[in-house]
Amino acid sequence: MPQKKVRKAIFPVGGLGTRFLPATKAMPKEMLPVVDKPLIQYAVEEAQAAGIEDFIFVTGRGKHAIEDHFDVSFELDTMLQAREKSDLLSVIRSWMPSPGQISYMRQMEPLGLGHAVWCARNLIGDEPFAVLLADDLVLSKTPCLQQMTEVHAETGGSVVAVMDVPREHTNRYGILDIERDDGRLASVRGLVEKPDPADAPSTLSIIGRYILQPQVFEHLDKQEKGAGGEIQLTDALAATLGSGPFNGLRFEGRRFDCGDKAGFLEATIAFALSRSDLAPAVRDIIKSYVDA
Ligand code: UTP
């Protein structure tokens, strides 16, 4: 049976970004640039490549820079047009979703990722949807969400992007309990948020890319708090198990945790090295430090 197409995506951007203070005192974490592009733009472009048509940002206080980034900058446009800088006009415009494709929902209180997703329930309605966390950045040949929508078109149900992590790190992630595993797709029978390494049912962890079914909102409606006193998306997903297929996809590519300083710096180096205009200079810079 053909699966319903994934047309809508939620971008939860309501977090406080405390690990990046003072940079995030007045600027949203999602606007931190990796090389020359803010994290949130990478996430939106990834969603566009996967065929997403509706972009829903769940925001909070102090996130206006995100709205401005996805809006026409009249002064800049006019100035670049007057100076006939068509290449720069394309840099600031070509990736923008069309008018009417973006909506903003205020989370009001940062009560957790599950709560942020729940805030978008009325904009999602009764269809599958994607969730992308901009601070998880993936460098891959095929955009990560596109890899997932291709799986979803075959399997339906829920699909989460997963990767193996060192066992001592299981307490940082949502971890899968696996029923079957063919090395690429793992069929999920259980989920645990941030288990102690000794209790973790596997080392396969969920990264910030999800394709979910609207039934998850029934569980989020209960507003139950989980690990860290937050309303956890993983707990609501665990409650949907058994209601349809649920697969973890070992995606092709490399994921960087840009919510963490070391992960952010690594992403900056990896993305710079992936660009032909920057790679030679960056390689020389790195070499000069390693040789010193
Ligand atoms: P994090 O766990 O990284 O939290 O959220 P954070 O507040 O952004 O950052 P730190 O830990 O204080 O440094 C993961 C994702 O979920 C979103 C964040 O914006 C981020 O994209 N989130 C988290 C919300 O939208 N609302 C929340 O209540 C919590």
Side-chain angles (χ1 to χ4, degrees), residues 12-20 29-30 58 63 107 109-113 115-116 132-135 230 259:
V13 293
L16 298 175
T18 54
R19 283 171 290 167
F20 266 96
K29 173 172 75 170
E30 299 78 11
V58 179
K63 302 280 178 169
Q107 190 184 5
E109 283 178 283
L111 299 179
L113 177 58
H115 182 257
L132 294 96
L133 304 188
D135 44 10
E230 296 196 341

Side-chain angles (χ1 to χ4, degrees), residues 59-70:
T59 70
R61 292 190 80 76
K63 302 280 178 169
H64 289 301
I66 296 177
E67 294 177 35
D68 289 342
H69 189 69
F70 289 92

Side-chain angles (χ1 to χ4, degrees), residues 44 93 236 267 276:
V44 166
R93 266 194 197 163
S276 57

